[in-house]
Amino acid sequence: MFTFPILAQSFSDCRLRSLFSPDTNLTVNNIQLLSEKLSAFEQQTVYIADSRTAYKLWRQGLIPDGSMLLLSEDGSSSKESDEQPFGRSDISFLSCRLPAGEILNRANSCFFDFTGWMNRLCLLACRNKEIQPLLNEAASRLHVPLFLLNGGYRLIASNVDYAFENAYIQQLLSFGYLSADSIDTFLNSPVPGQKKDSVPKGIYEALLEPDSYGLLAPLKYHSSTYGRLLVFSESAGRDPALFDYVKLLVSLIREHSLMHNREEFESNAEFSSLIGDLIERRISSEEELQSRLFRLLFLPPNFYTCIVITFEPGQKSLPTGLILHALSEIFPLCQTAVYQGDLILLVKTEEDSWDIPFDGERLQKLLERYHAYASIGNKSAFVSSIRPIYLQTKEVISLGRALSGDPGQRLFYYDDYTAYHLIDLCGRFGYDFHENNLIYLCTPKYTILKRHDIEEHDNLCEILEAYIKNNCNTTKTAKDMYLHRNTVINKIDRIEEIIGRSLDDWNLQMILMLSSMVVRYAENYRQEDLLHPIKRYSPAPE
């Protein structure tokens, strides 16, 4: 989108007079010399002529409104050329102290430089998932600070000239986000010298300091704002060329975002950015959180249950929007966010209830169709708690797939795997305590039973687990195991004989069950044999 203000910027060193018509975003497709023999003016063409010729043609009514002119004033003077030309006409013009031929050469050079720069930007947008290279290339031509913010005005990427002093730049670099007061400055400040109805919609402008001007352009997907481009200029008012550059960059960044991160914009993008910032610990204060919540179109529910949907790797072109629509029908009272390929649902939950009603059969079919898995986590009243709740809920999916025993199961509940999650945390973060050998978390009473079963081809551990799960009821245990009740009684007696303790002790029951879960977790999830552990020795202290 090569425009007349962008072209005129290359003549700033020799500019005499200029006037940009209200339609300054008219693009330039051609540049040619103006002559008195010209029969018809072409649209989107810049004409170059000496000011006397152009003014004469205009007085004759031969130059239509909407034209774009570069005028040469190379020493010639006249009463007519000294007047303000085209003062009442809808014509964009720039007059400068250069011969017409030199103006033509410079204009063509500017056009070719702009085209090459645009080609480089388009290549970077297509080939790089990261946005930073695109910002760097843009800043190399504009020479102004560029900031890309997410939906919550938090910094994503930037290209900053540190010699450019500005309180808003310092705020972004120091804290990583714009404060509520700074945001209101952009959204509410009038632009000096501009009528309110003449300011183009879609880009906010503000005179921030006596010699600093700012542009804030929203990046939208449908009606949702997922990001903002913030640009600063050391000037006391609008630079038409910078304004056109900002509109061009917004278009390129939007294409880059949809090309590489389209799934993130199918949901409420501003809500997704808030959830992502909370998960990644980017919210630095309660004040920032409240400011972000205040600017959301819909507030999170007072009490919510977290649901995480994740997909099998290798799938391409998932219809995220269609999936979210289906989930909103299964869970009507929910808000959705997209984070690193996962779908996060915050389902409204009543204060005095722990259950959320939904169509389980329909959810199962949806998960099967898109090769997805879902987990339902805990209830919370605080959106700031989303990080631990999300991490817990997501972890259940991998644990459940390894430990459920049902390859067709696609829905898991955190309550069913809480103990396994605790074991997993011990396994991952307890190296200094047990040197990554989980056998130390088990009571020897259980490992003795396990070795007995292996050596004697017995099933005492299986009987023990069923007996404790059935509250030490031998009749229910026999029914579940398809055994005679006397057989179960004899097995229990044998277990008590081996461990030398009565199973009536609830503390013993608890540590035996925990040990069985540790062994099961190690065998099925970590693929380790705890009865034949690898010996590890810590290095001797120096």
Side-chain angles (χ1 to χ4, degrees), residues 114-131:
F114 176 86
T115 302
W117 177 71
M118 276 296 301
N119 289 337
R120 292 193 297 274
L121 284 179
C122 291
L123 285 175
L124 289 171
C126 293
R127 295 178 178 178
N128 288 275
K129 186 175 178 64
E130 299 296 326
I131 193 67

Side-chain angles (χ1 to χ4, degrees), residues 233-302:
S233 172
E234 287 184 316
S235 66
R238 175 192 290 181
D239 178 352
L242 182 61
F243 199 89
D244 288 347
Y245 275 123
V246 168
K247 290 189 290 186
L248 184 150
L249 287 176
V250 165
S251 177
L252 279 173
I253 293 172
R254 183 177 183 274
E255 291 180 13
H256 174 275
S257 302
L258 295 179
M259 187 180 304
H260 298 289
N261 305 294
R262 188 183 189 95
E263 69 280 359
E264 296 185 13
F265 311 122
E266 299 287 355
S267 64
N268 185 326
E270 290 184 274
F271 184 65
S272 293
S273 69
L274 172 63
I275 296 301
D277 288 342
L278 285 168
I279 291 174
E280 296 177 5
R281 293 172 173 160
R282 293 176 180 265
I283 304 296
S284 59
S285 65
E286 181 67 21
E287 179 185 1
E288 181 189 2
L289 176 59
Q290 292 305 318
S291 175
R292 297 281 292 272
L293 291 173
F294 175 77
R295 298 178 190 282
L296 287 178
L297 186 61
F298 300 103
L299 289 175
N302 292 332

Side-chain angles (χ1 to χ4, degrees), residues 35-56:
S35 69
E36 297 184 17
K37 297 180 180 180
L38 189 67
S39 58
F41 275 69
E42 300 177 4
Q43 292 185 343
Q44 298 182 325
T45 296
V46 174
Y47 291 95
I48 300 172
D50 64 82
S51 58
R52 180 175 301 187
T53 300
Y55 187 69
K56 179 179 179 181

Side-chain angles (χ1 to χ4, degrees), residues 129-143:
K129 186 175 178 64
E130 299 296 326
I131 193 67
Q132 187 63 53
L134 192 148
L135 283 187
N136 293 344
E137 181 62 35
S140 69
R141 182 178 180 90
L142 303 187
H143 305 291

Side-chain angles (χ1 to χ4, degrees), residues 121-256:
L121 284 179
C122 291
L123 285 175
L124 289 171
C126 293
R127 295 178 178 178
N128 288 275
K129 186 175 178 64
E130 299 296 326
I131 193 67
Q132 187 63 53
L134 192 148
L135 283 187
N136 293 344
E137 181 62 35
S140 69
R141 182 178 180 90
L142 303 187
H143 305 291
V144 295
L146 301 175
F147 295 89
L148 186 61
L149 313 178
N150 68 10
Y153 296 90
R154 176 161 281 277
L155 184 61
I156 298 175
S158 65
N159 188 292
V160 187
D161 180 359
Y162 288 92
F164 196 111
E165 295 184 2
N166 181 290
Y168 297 85
I169 292 177
Q170 296 305 318
Q171 184 182 125
L172 282 168
L173 296 178
S174 300
F175 304 107
Y177 67 95
L178 283 180
S179 68
D181 291 341
S182 298
I183 295 168
D184 290 337
T185 299
F186 278 101
L187 302 187
N188 300 319
S189 293
V191 180
Q194 293 283 343
K195 294 181 180 179
K196 188 172 182 181
D197 56 359
S198 69
V199 178
K201 296 180 180 179
I203 299 181
Y204 296 98
E205 305 175 76
L207 184 62
L208 304 174
E209 296 173 353
D211 296 318
S212 180
Y213 172 73
L215 289 173
L216 182 68
L219 301 162
K220 290 181 175 291
Y221 181 78
H222 298 320
S223 60
S224 179
T225 299
Y226 65 86
R228 292 170 175 85
L229 178 66
L230 179 59
V231 180
F232 294 101
S233 172
E234 287 184 316
S235 66
R238 175 192 290 181
D239 178 352
L242 182 61
F243 199 89
D244 288 347
Y245 275 123
V246 168
K247 290 189 290 186
L248 184 150
L249 287 176
V250 165
S251 177
L252 279 173
I253 293 172
R254 183 177 183 274
E255 291 180 13
H256 174 275

